[in-house]
Amino acid sequence: MHPLPPELFVPIADETMAREVFRRTVSEVQVEISSFCNRRCPYCPVSLVDRHSANHRIDDGTFERILADLAAIGYDRRVGLSLYNEPLGDPRLEERIVRARRDLPRALIYFYSNGDYLTAEMLTRLAAAGLDEITVSIHPAPGKPYADTAITRRAEQLARRLGSRYEAEIHVPDAFQAGRIPFPGIRVHVTALDYRKHGQDRGGLLPDLTPARPRRAPCSRPFTNFVVDNAGLVLPCCQIFSDHPEHAPYIVGRLEDFPSIFQAYCSAPLAAWRRDLFLPEPRRAPCATCTDGDREVPAEEAALRARFMAMLGLPGG
Ligand code: SF4
Ligand code: SF4
């Protein structure tokens, strides 16, 4: 457990202080630049809504504002352009990367993709635009189960399409594979997980994936991540899917209603999420069934967390 600014647990209206708390704590900013995905994987909440017939892009002003605020603190950590979208299906992707790279020369710009549209020419252009990393998540063909040989074959096919080779790194039979595809100027990771068995229930939206054992573990996501979706909505973490009405109560607010991304991050709702998620204890929805970062917390760490909360005079300490 790293030392945390106590200000993370209370709302902060002071811009300078909010900026400093964000700068010290956030290591990953996720901006969903578009809504479209060409797939409907049954273990993904995209399968529950229509994200196929139209592409809603994040408002230009919202995107520029996120970049301007991050530029103001010299942000040099991770910036992702994906959430529940397929970024390669957005014709403005390259332009977004150019803008992000211009404002954030030291940030690591990345996104996740299903790889269906990826070509060598496209990857060369994206690398030249300033993209640092792409992780291709290999999904089984529609209606097909996860199968090791089919996954490896798909990774090798993708590598050939990119004029390169697939270098396998991790293989857990019938569950997980990971590797890389060497390509000039950009890191290309490949992963595959049998999401039907090991996926997440996305805050209860996918009950087939709800685990038998409820969660007690704390969660670091609303501390380290700052997430904005294609509608400009600030979310507490990447597990929340604002397209689904069941998740409407978990939306933090519209980014445009906050004076800055820093004050959105230090707002009362996000401070409450952090207070709620700091101690190992039974969680309520949507965290009660979430397996993202779920783990056993050693007794010494639990005691340390309780002492920290008590020191701050916060409930549960
Ligand atoms: S898992 Fe990825 S590829 Fe599949 S529907 Fe969801 S966003 Fe699209
Ligand atoms: S426990 Fe899961 S749903 Fe809750 S904040 Fe963490 S990642 Fe999000």
Side-chain angles (χ1 to χ4, degrees):
M1 198 184 97
H2 301 293
L4 292 169
E7 295 84 1
L8 282 166
F9 301 93
V10 290
I12 300 172
D14 179 77
E15 176 68 14
T16 308
M17 191 183 286
R19 184 184 283 217
E20 181 59 12
V21 171
F22 184 106
R23 191 188 65 73
R24 284 173 60 187
T25 320
V26 175
S27 56
E28 183 154 17
V29 174
Q30 289 165 273
V31 185
E32 188 182 51
I33 56 167
S34 52
S35 66
F36 173 80
C37 184
N38 58 312
R39 292 199 171 220
R40 295 174 173 86
C41 304
Y43 40 76
C44 174
V46 165
S47 64
L48 306 173
V49 301
D50 177 9
R51 277 201 167 208
H52 323 103
S53 49
N55 185 24
H56 300 288
R57 295 194 185 91
I58 195 165
D59 172 73
D60 286 349
T62 303
F63 188 67
E64 300 281 333
R65 192 151 159 248
I66 295 168
L67 295 181
D69 281 354
L70 292 175
I73 57 168
Y75 183 81
D76 60 0
R77 297 173 190 166
R78 292 177 70 82
V79 178
L81 304 176
S82 50
L83 197 57
Y84 293 99
N85 55 326
E86 173 46 61
L88 294 175
D90 179 12
R92 290 188 61 191
L93 170 64
E94 195 176 335
E95 177 197 327
R96 299 290 197 194
I97 294 169
V98 168
R99 286 289 293 107
R101 176 51 68 217
R102 191 189 76 186
D103 283 4
L104 308 173
R106 294 185 297 140
L108 190 159
I109 304 172
Y110 76 93
F111 63 80
Y112 279 81
S113 165
N114 59 36
D116 290 348
Y117 300 135
L118 192 59
T119 63
E121 192 221 337
M122 189 183 280
L123 197 52
T124 301
R125 280 208 322 268
L126 297 178
L131 187 68
D132 293 296
E133 181 183 293
I134 177 170
T135 297
V136 177
S137 196
I138 305 265
H139 298 282
K144 300 278 187 196
Y146 182 98
D148 281 336
T149 46
I151 295 291
T152 308
R153 194 169 55 243
R154 290 271 314 287
E156 288 169 349
Q157 280 167 355
L158 173 67
R160 276 197 298 279
R161 210 191 315 151
L162 298 179
S164 184
R165 65 191 180 281
Y166 175 58
E167 295 180 353
E169 291 171 328
I170 305 171
H171 185 189
V172 181
D174 298 324
F176 179 69
Q177 292 188 41
R180 60 189 285 272
I181 297 175
F183 198 89
I186 187 166
R187 283 191 296 282
V188 182
H189 299 295
V190 179
T191 66
L193 176 72
D194 185 354
Y195 285 102
R196 282 190 179 88
K197 287 192 197 140
H198 307 292
Q200 291 148 347
D201 81 347
R202 306 293 176 182
L205 293 180
L206 301 162
D208 286 355
L209 292 168
T210 296
R213 186 180 67 87
R215 181 189 182 113
R216 286 182 53 86
C219 177
S220 62
R221 292 270 186 207
F223 292 79
T224 56
N225 292 41
F226 182 71
V227 185
V228 182
D229 75 5
N230 70 82
L233 299 172
V234 180
L235 307 175
C237 68
C238 56
Q239 300 293 336
I240 301 304
F241 184 60
S242 75
D243 290 22
H244 200 285
E246 218 175 275
H247 276 189
Y250 312 133
I251 296 168
V252 173
R254 301 191 66 80
L255 186 63
E256 66 184 15
D257 295 334
F258 294 98
S260 65
I261 61 169
F262 312 119
Q263 292 201 40
Y265 176 72
C266 291
S267 62
L270 269 178
W273 277 86
R274 293 190 281 264
R275 284 197 302 277
D276 277 358
L277 285 163
F278 191 69
L279 297 175
E281 59 190 3
R283 313 248 78 98
R284 58 181 167 213
C287 307
T289 58
C290 180
T291 50
D292 186 341
D294 193 13
R295 65 190 172 95
E296 285 297 325
V297 176
E300 306 79 51
E301 183 187 326
L304 196 63
R305 284 175 179 266
R307 268 176 44 209
F308 186 73
M309 290 302 257
M311 210 174 69
L312 299 179
L314 293 170

PDB file of all heavy atoms in Angstrom, residues 37-41 43-47 83-86 114 139, ligand 1:
ATOM      1  N   CYS A  37     -18.572  -0.567 -31.804  1.00  0.00           N
ATOM      2  CA  CYS A  37     -17.800  -1.811 -31.860  1.00  0.00           C
ATOM      3  C   CYS A  37     -18.472  -2.720 -32.874  1.00  0.00           C
ATOM      4  O   CYS A  37     -19.705  -2.803 -32.924  1.00  0.00           O
ATOM      5  CB  CYS A  37     -17.700  -2.521 -30.505  1.00  0.00           C
ATOM      6  SG  CYS A  37     -16.642  -3.993 -30.651  1.00  0.00           S
ATOM      7  N   ASN A  38     -17.657  -3.395 -33.683  1.00  0.00           N
ATOM      8  CA  ASN A  38     -18.191  -4.267 -34.734  1.00  0.00           C
ATOM      9  C   ASN A  38     -18.610  -5.631 -34.208  1.00  0.00           C
ATOM     10  O   ASN A  38     -19.238  -6.400 -34.918  1.00  0.00           O
ATOM     11  CB  ASN A  38     -17.145  -4.447 -35.842  1.00  0.00           C
ATOM     12  CG  ASN A  38     -15.835  -5.019 -35.314  1.00  0.00           C
ATOM     13  OD1 ASN A  38     -15.314  -4.551 -34.313  1.00  0.00           O
ATOM     14  ND2 ASN A  38     -15.309  -6.032 -35.969  1.00  0.00           N
ATOM     15  N   ARG A  39     -18.232  -5.946 -32.966  1.00  0.00           N
ATOM     16  CA  ARG A  39     -18.573  -7.266 -32.407  1.00  0.00           C
ATOM     17  C   ARG A  39     -19.665  -7.146 -31.360  1.00  0.00           C
ATOM     18  O   ARG A  39     -19.969  -6.063 -30.885  1.00  0.00           O
ATOM     19  CB  ARG A  39     -17.329  -7.914 -31.808  1.00  0.00           C
ATOM     20  CG  ARG A  39     -16.300  -8.298 -32.864  1.00  0.00           C
ATOM     21  CD  ARG A  39     -15.337  -9.309 -32.311  1.00  0.00           C
ATOM     22  NE  ARG A  39     -14.488  -9.821 -33.386  1.00  0.00           N
ATOM     23  CZ  ARG A  39     -14.128 -11.086 -33.500  1.00  0.00           C
ATOM     24  NH1 ARG A  39     -14.511 -11.974 -32.606  1.00  0.00           N
ATOM     25  NH2 ARG A  39     -13.373 -11.494 -34.500  1.00  0.00           N
ATOM     26  N   ARG A  40     -20.176  -8.303 -30.979  1.00  0.00           N
ATOM     27  CA  ARG A  40     -21.174  -8.377 -29.890  1.00  0.00           C
ATOM     28  C   ARG A  40     -20.813  -9.565 -29.008  1.00  0.00           C
ATOM     29  O   ARG A  40     -21.587 -10.518 -28.885  1.00  0.00           O
ATOM     30  CB  ARG A  40     -22.583  -8.616 -30.463  1.00  0.00           C
ATOM     31  CG  ARG A  40     -23.144  -7.512 -31.322  1.00  0.00           C
ATOM     32  CD  ARG A  40     -24.477  -7.996 -31.905  1.00  0.00           C
ATOM     33  NE  ARG A  40     -25.194  -6.964 -32.627  1.00  0.00           N
ATOM     34  CZ  ARG A  40     -25.006  -6.658 -33.896  1.00  0.00           C
ATOM     35  NH1 ARG A  40     -24.079  -7.314 -34.610  1.00  0.00           N
ATOM     36  NH2 ARG A  40     -25.728  -5.717 -34.485  1.00  0.00           N
ATOM     37  N   CYS A  41     -19.656  -9.525 -28.423  1.00  0.00           N
ATOM     38  CA  CYS A  41     -19.206 -10.683 -27.633  1.00  0.00           C
ATOM     39  C   CYS A  41     -20.191 -10.922 -26.480  1.00  0.00           C
ATOM     40  O   CYS A  41     -20.563  -9.978 -25.782  1.00  0.00           O
ATOM     41  CB  CYS A  41     -17.814 -10.425 -27.089  1.00  0.00           C
ATOM     42  SG  CYS A  41     -16.613 -10.038 -28.376  1.00  0.00           S
ATOM     43  N   TYR A  43     -19.909 -12.032 -23.615  1.00  0.00           N
ATOM     44  CA  TYR A  43     -19.391 -11.750 -22.270  1.00  0.00           C
ATOM     45  C   TYR A  43     -19.055 -10.275 -22.102  1.00  0.00           C
ATOM     46  O   TYR A  43     -18.289  -9.909 -21.195  1.00  0.00           O
ATOM     47  CB  TYR A  43     -18.142 -12.606 -22.016  1.00  0.00           C
ATOM     48  CG  TYR A  43     -17.242 -12.711 -23.236  1.00  0.00           C
ATOM     49  CD1 TYR A  43     -16.431 -11.644 -23.615  1.00  0.00           C
ATOM     50  CD2 TYR A  43     -17.255 -13.846 -24.036  1.00  0.00           C
ATOM     51  CE1 TYR A  43     -15.635 -11.715 -24.732  1.00  0.00           C
ATOM     52  CE2 TYR A  43     -16.465 -13.927 -25.172  1.00  0.00           C
ATOM     53  CZ  TYR A  43     -15.655 -12.849 -25.512  1.00  0.00           C
ATOM     54  OH  TYR A  43     -14.875 -12.918 -26.637  1.00  0.00           O
ATOM     55  N   CYS A  44     -19.629  -9.426 -22.968  1.00  0.00           N
ATOM     56  CA  CYS A  44     -19.352  -7.984 -22.911  1.00  0.00           C
ATOM     57  C   CYS A  44     -20.683  -7.235 -22.892  1.00  0.00           C
ATOM     58  O   CYS A  44     -21.619  -7.613 -23.605  1.00  0.00           O
ATOM     59  CB  CYS A  44     -18.544  -7.593 -24.148  1.00  0.00           C
ATOM     60  SG  CYS A  44     -18.277  -5.815 -24.304  1.00  0.00           S
ATOM     61  N   PRO A  45     -20.802  -6.163 -22.107  1.00  0.00           N
ATOM     62  CA  PRO A  45     -22.083  -5.450 -22.059  1.00  0.00           C
ATOM     63  C   PRO A  45     -22.470  -4.800 -23.390  1.00  0.00           C
ATOM     64  O   PRO A  45     -23.634  -4.418 -23.559  1.00  0.00           O
ATOM     65  CB  PRO A  45     -21.870  -4.401 -20.961  1.00  0.00           C
ATOM     66  CG  PRO A  45     -20.414  -4.303 -20.758  1.00  0.00           C
ATOM     67  CD  PRO A  45     -19.818  -5.619 -21.158  1.00  0.00           C
ATOM     68  N   VAL A  46     -21.518  -4.709 -24.317  1.00  0.00           N
ATOM     69  CA  VAL A  46     -21.861  -4.203 -25.655  1.00  0.00           C
ATOM     70  C   VAL A  46     -22.945  -5.090 -26.285  1.00  0.00           C
ATOM     71  O   VAL A  46     -23.772  -4.632 -27.072  1.00  0.00           O
ATOM     72  CB  VAL A  46     -20.582  -4.146 -26.535  1.00  0.00           C
ATOM     73  CG1 VAL A  46     -20.918  -3.982 -28.009  1.00  0.00           C
ATOM     74  CG2 VAL A  46     -19.688  -2.999 -26.069  1.00  0.00           C
ATOM     75  N   SER A  47     -22.961  -6.378 -25.890  1.00  0.00           N
ATOM     76  CA  SER A  47     -23.960  -7.305 -26.448  1.00  0.00           C
ATOM     77  C   SER A  47     -25.375  -6.976 -25.960  1.00  0.00           C
ATOM     78  O   SER A  47     -26.359  -7.493 -26.493  1.00  0.00           O
ATOM     79  CB  SER A  47     -23.610  -8.751 -26.080  1.00  0.00           C
ATOM     80  OG  SER A  47     -23.687  -8.912 -24.670  1.00  0.00           O
ATOM     81  N   LEU A  83     -12.553   1.802 -24.291  1.00  0.00           N
ATOM     82  CA  LEU A  83     -13.289   1.369 -23.100  1.00  0.00           C
ATOM     83  C   LEU A  83     -14.180   0.201 -23.555  1.00  0.00           C
ATOM     84  O   LEU A  83     -13.807  -0.942 -23.426  1.00  0.00           O
ATOM     85  CB  LEU A  83     -14.094   2.545 -22.531  1.00  0.00           C
ATOM     86  CG  LEU A  83     -14.610   2.417 -21.097  1.00  0.00           C
ATOM     87  CD1 LEU A  83     -13.478   2.155 -20.126  1.00  0.00           C
ATOM     88  CD2 LEU A  83     -15.377   3.669 -20.695  1.00  0.00           C
ATOM     89  N   TYR A  84     -15.340   0.549 -24.150  1.00  0.00           N
ATOM     90  CA  TYR A  84     -16.196  -0.490 -24.739  1.00  0.00           C
ATOM     91  C   TYR A  84     -16.369  -0.220 -26.235  1.00  0.00           C
ATOM     92  O   TYR A  84     -17.414  -0.509 -26.803  1.00  0.00           O
ATOM     93  CB  TYR A  84     -17.542  -0.553 -24.016  1.00  0.00           C
ATOM     94  CG  TYR A  84     -17.403  -1.038 -22.592  1.00  0.00           C
ATOM     95  CD1 TYR A  84     -17.373  -0.143 -21.536  1.00  0.00           C
ATOM     96  CD2 TYR A  84     -17.252  -2.390 -22.311  1.00  0.00           C
ATOM     97  CE1 TYR A  84     -17.215  -0.582 -20.226  1.00  0.00           C
ATOM     98  CE2 TYR A  84     -17.095  -2.839 -21.015  1.00  0.00           C
ATOM     99  CZ  TYR A  84     -17.079  -1.933 -19.977  1.00  0.00           C
ATOM    100  OH  TYR A  84     -16.907  -2.389 -18.692  1.00  0.00           O
ATOM    101  N   ASN A  85     -15.383   0.356 -26.861  1.00  0.00           N
ATOM    102  CA  ASN A  85     -15.426   0.696 -28.284  1.00  0.00           C
ATOM    103  C   ASN A  85     -14.319  -0.051 -29.030  1.00  0.00           C
ATOM    104  O   ASN A  85     -13.400  -0.592 -28.414  1.00  0.00           O
ATOM    105  CB  ASN A  85     -15.216   2.204 -28.459  1.00  0.00           C
ATOM    106  CG  ASN A  85     -13.925   2.697 -27.802  1.00  0.00           C
ATOM    107  OD1 ASN A  85     -13.511   2.185 -26.770  1.00  0.00           O
ATOM    108  ND2 ASN A  85     -13.290   3.691 -28.392  1.00  0.00           N
ATOM    109  N   GLU A  86     -14.426  -0.047 -30.352  1.00  0.00           N
ATOM    110  CA  GLU A  86     -13.336  -0.533 -31.191  1.00  0.00           C
ATOM    111  C   GLU A  86     -12.710   0.704 -31.844  1.00  0.00           C
ATOM    112  O   GLU A  86     -13.238   1.221 -32.839  1.00  0.00           O
ATOM    113  CB  GLU A  86     -13.875  -1.502 -32.252  1.00  0.00           C
ATOM    114  CG  GLU A  86     -12.846  -1.931 -33.288  1.00  0.00           C
ATOM    115  CD  GLU A  86     -11.499  -2.323 -32.673  1.00  0.00           C
ATOM    116  OE1 GLU A  86     -11.454  -3.269 -31.890  1.00  0.00           O
ATOM    117  OE2 GLU A  86     -10.491  -1.645 -32.978  1.00  0.00           O
ATOM    118  N   ASN A 114      -9.937  -5.248 -30.967  1.00  0.00           N
ATOM    119  CA  ASN A 114     -10.125  -6.665 -31.282  1.00  0.00           C
ATOM    120  C   ASN A 114      -9.301  -7.079 -32.510  1.00  0.00           C
ATOM    121  O   ASN A 114      -9.272  -8.257 -32.871  1.00  0.00           O
ATOM    122  CB  ASN A 114     -11.615  -7.006 -31.463  1.00  0.00           C
ATOM    123  CG  ASN A 114     -12.264  -6.202 -32.574  1.00  0.00           C
ATOM    124  OD1 ASN A 114     -11.650  -5.919 -33.602  1.00  0.00           O
ATOM    125  ND2 ASN A 114     -13.539  -5.840 -32.388  1.00  0.00           N
ATOM    126  N   HIS A 139     -10.615 -12.515 -29.714  1.00  0.00           N
ATOM    127  CA  HIS A 139     -11.877 -13.116 -29.260  1.00  0.00           C
ATOM    128  C   HIS A 139     -12.221 -14.287 -30.181  1.00  0.00           C
ATOM    129  O   HIS A 139     -11.946 -14.220 -31.385  1.00  0.00           O
ATOM    130  CB  HIS A 139     -12.996 -12.078 -29.302  1.00  0.00           C
ATOM    131  CG  HIS A 139     -12.751 -10.924 -28.384  1.00  0.00           C
ATOM    132  ND1 HIS A 139     -12.953 -10.998 -27.020  1.00  0.00           N
ATOM    133  CD2 HIS A 139     -12.286  -9.673 -28.624  1.00  0.00           C
ATOM    134  CE1 HIS A 139     -12.638  -9.841 -26.466  1.00  0.00           C
ATOM    135  NE2 HIS A 139     -12.224  -9.018 -27.409  1.00  0.00           N
TER     136      HIS A 139
HETATM  137  S1  SF4 B   1     -15.319  -7.465 -25.817  1.00  0.00           S
HETATM  138 FE1  SF4 B   1     -14.400  -5.893 -27.132  1.00  0.00          FE
HETATM  139  S2  SF4 B   1     -14.735  -6.658 -29.206  1.00  0.00           S
HETATM  140 FE2  SF4 B   1     -16.148  -7.749 -27.910  1.00  0.00          FE
HETATM  141  S3  SF4 B   1     -18.066  -6.565 -27.974  1.00  0.00           S
HETATM  142 FE3  SF4 B   1     -16.887  -5.872 -26.169  1.00  0.00          FE
HETATM  143  S4  SF4 B   1     -15.743  -4.089 -26.879  1.00  0.00           S
HETATM  144 FE4  SF4 B   1     -16.416  -5.227 -28.717  1.00  0.00          FE
END
